[in-house]
Amino acid sequence: MKNSVFLNFLFLLLTKHKTKHISIFFISILIVFLSSSILFISTTLKKEIFSTLDNQSDFVIQKINSGKIENTPISWIDDFTKINGVEKIQQRVYGQYYFMPENIYFTIVGVDLFEEAINKNIKDLLSVLDISEFLANDSMIIGNGIKKIFDKYHYFDTYDFKLFNNELKEIQIFKELPIEANIVANDLIIMDINLAKEILNIKEDECTDIVLNVPNNLERQNVKDQLILKHSNTRILQKDNLKKEYENMFNYKGGIFLIFFIIVIVTFTLILYQRYSMISLGDKKEIGILKAVGWSIKDIIKLKIMENFIVAFMAFIIGVILSYIFVFILNAPILKNIFIGSSNMQNDFIFNAYIQIDTLITLFLFFMIPFLSAILIPVWKVAIIDSTESMK
């Protein structure tokens, strides 16, 4: 049988049976749309979070007293510097500031702009900053979410922070962070480290915690033991452990999604099987005519499989395109909260387009194989009908 004749008849059948395929077509688009949307959101958030973690220090050391975290003495830096294998050790200052009118918290981060080992994420955010102009006055750089709240309450140029002694500290709003940084900096306030200590009520000889790097992976456990020996009242957070915790979180939420996806696919497969098991009189006559003109059972099965493959493939492509628009152009309203959960303040972050081809291939196989498997037996039952009987 010539390929041109086969293809011509194939597209003729698609046109003739369009009303037969329309419901399955739209249901398939909906399943692919929801599945790929969640996959796009999950992989994009995972990439952003792990990219941020990669730029963090290897160890975070906090002081513990009776199970509670306290400010860490800066003098500990000198103690930890003596440990072999330790690099880029520095203090960190950060904390929460309560904004009463909205009952929310701002995250204040103090930065030493002259520190060479400054965190890469912060360095990228401050890459276009004029340091001398920034330090000329008490200034701060605010996230996009905070900017909206300040505008709402008419804090356009300055904001008065209330200190622990009830005095007010006026801080100039120097700049707003770009909306592209919202995923990590929506509720962030960046200011000079000494100014942050004053607002957060941290003494000059203290900090929130101490961070350091250990470039040699084989030395990390030994360094961790020596850190504890230097000061036993410490809590040590390791970057590798944080990565595992986030990995487990995504695997947990992804596992829940996978269970629902399997349930939907199984249900959809049963519907397909039932739908195509109902052999109509028109199908019987169609098969009889094809057999009468010399088509084999193999050719008929191939024709029917290809007919439904095209329907499923087009539904898959349209579903993926719609999900791309929904996630990366419309920013996945409502659906993105499945993974980010409730937040301190509304975060209108932008998803940066990131697609894993292997993930799309996996989704395609999980969708296409059950789809074609569900119609294979019904198609075979149609194909083996005796041509004389089907023509009656």
Side-chain angles (χ1 to χ4, degrees):
M1 181 179 59
K2 294 183 178 180
N3 289 332
S4 59
V5 176
F6 180 85
L7 292 176
N8 288 336
F9 197 77
L10 173 62
F11 288 107
L12 180 65
L13 282 182
L14 285 172
T15 303
K16 179 183 177 183
H17 296 161
K18 58 185 178 182
T19 54
K20 175 183 175 181
H21 295 304
I22 194 71
S23 59
I24 298 299
F25 181 72
F26 283 112
I27 294 174
S28 299
I29 290 176
L30 180 61
I31 292 174
V32 173
F33 167 75
L34 291 175
S35 303
S36 53
S37 293
I38 293 177
L39 285 175
F40 287 161
I41 293 171
S42 175
T43 54
T44 303
L45 285 176
K46 191 174 181 179
K47 176 181 178 294
E48 292 289 343
I49 291 174
F50 276 79
S51 176
T52 301
L53 284 175
D54 286 336
N55 294 324
Q56 301 296 317
S57 300
D58 296 326
F59 287 97
V60 177
I61 300 98
Q62 299 172 328
K63 181 181 177 182
I64 299 294
N65 186 5
S66 301
K68 296 181 180 179
I69 299 175
E70 293 186 345
N71 293 330
T72 306
I74 296 178
S75 59
W76 285 16
I77 293 178
D78 295 330
D79 299 333
F80 297 150
T81 303
K82 299 174 184 178
I83 300 175
N84 291 330
V86 170
E87 293 183 0
K88 298 180 179 179
I89 182 169
Q90 61 180 327
Q91 61 172 314
R92 289 199 311 183
V93 173
Y94 59 89
Q96 300 289 313
Y97 179 83
Y98 180 62
F99 185 74
M100 187 179 297
E102 291 285 326
N103 192 28
I104 58 175
Y105 288 89
F106 301 152
T107 300
I108 296 178
V109 174
V111 177
D112 186 352
L113 297 174
F114 299 101
E115 174 64 57
E116 293 183 1
I118 187 173
N119 181 278
K120 186 178 182 300
N121 294 319
I122 301 295
K123 186 182 293 185
D124 291 340
L125 294 175
L126 304 178
S127 58
V128 294
L129 182 66
D130 186 335
I131 297 178
S132 59
E133 184 181 355
F134 179 73
L135 296 178
N137 300 298
D138 291 335
S139 304
M140 62 180 173
I141 301 172
I142 60 177
N144 186 260
I146 295 177
K147 179 65 167 61
K148 291 179 179 179
I149 292 174
F150 279 177
D151 288 346
K152 178 180 177 181
Y153 291 92
H154 300 281
Y155 297 114
F156 300 113
D157 300 314
T158 62
Y159 177 74
D160 295 327
F161 286 90
K162 189 175 182 179
L163 305 181
F164 71 99
N165 57 5
N166 291 326
E167 293 182 1
L168 296 179
K169 183 74 174 180
E170 185 182 70
I171 307 294
Q172 177 185 347
I173 300 174
F174 185 79
K175 188 179 180 182
E176 172 193 353
L177 293 171
I179 193 172
E180 290 78 12
N182 270 13
I183 195 168
V184 294
N186 185 60
D187 62 345
L188 197 65
I189 296 178
I190 301 175
M191 59 179 63
D192 178 69
I193 190 168
N194 295 315
L195 185 58
K197 286 184 179 183
E198 182 180 358
I199 293 174
L200 296 172
N201 191 26
I202 299 175
K203 297 178 181 179
E204 291 185 5
D205 60 348
E206 293 181 340
C207 58
T208 307
D209 53 37
I210 296 172
V211 295
L212 55 86
N213 284 336
V214 182
N216 189 343
N217 294 339
L218 300 177
E219 293 182 342
R220 288 179 181 171
Q221 184 58 47
N222 179 53
V223 169
K224 185 175 180 180
D225 295 338
Q226 292 189 56
L227 290 171
I228 296 174
L229 289 175
K230 290 287 183 181
H231 295 281
S232 59
N233 56 334
T234 58
R235 178 190 181 196
I236 300 177
L237 303 176
Q238 195 167 344
K239 180 170 66 175
D240 295 338
N241 294 334
L242 291 175
K243 284 185 175 181
K244 290 178 182 178
E245 289 179 7
Y246 277 106
E247 186 75 38
N248 290 336
M249 181 191 72
F250 277 101
N251 288 342
Y252 171 74
K253 292 188 175 183
I256 294 176
F257 156 71
L258 181 60
I259 291 173
F260 281 112
F261 178 74
I262 292 174
I263 293 173
V264 170
I265 285 296
V266 170
T267 304
F268 182 61
T269 302
L270 293 175
I271 293 173
L272 281 176
Y273 181 81
Q274 185 180 24
R275 170 71 178 81
Y276 287 100
S277 294
M278 299 169 62
I279 304 174
S280 66
L281 181 61
D283 290 330
K284 290 182 178 180
K285 288 186 175 181
E286 203 172 81
I287 297 302
I289 293 172
L290 291 176
K291 282 189 172 183
V293 297
W295 283 50
S296 66
I297 294 176
K298 178 182 177 181
D299 291 333
I300 294 171
I301 293 176
K302 180 181 176 183
L303 176 68
K304 291 294 183 179
I305 291 293
M306 286 298 298
E307 177 186 356
N308 288 280
F309 174 82
I310 291 175
V311 173
F313 183 77
M314 291 301 297
F316 181 84
I317 295 298
I318 293 173
V320 170
I321 292 173
L322 290 176
S323 66
Y324 182 93
I325 295 172
F326 177 73
V327 175
F328 298 120
I329 296 179
L330 302 179
N331 285 314
I334 300 175
L335 196 57
K336 67 182 178 182
N337 293 325
I338 292 177
F339 283 91
I340 66 172
S342 59
S343 59
N344 179 44
M345 66 174 65
Q346 183 179 355
N347 193 341
D348 299 322
F349 64 84
I350 296 176
F351 284 102
N352 297 317
Y354 176 70
I355 299 175
Q356 290 182 315
I357 301 301
D358 56 340
T359 302
L360 277 182
I361 293 174
T362 302
L363 177 62
F364 177 78
L365 294 176
F366 266 90
F367 169 72
M368 191 63 68
I369 292 176
F371 189 104
L372 296 181
S373 299
I375 66 173
L376 182 60
I377 295 178
V379 166
W380 174 77
K381 288 182 178 179
V382 173
I384 61 174
I385 296 176
D386 183 77
S387 58
T388 304
E389 180 183 346
S390 62
M391 293 288 289
K392 292 180 180 179

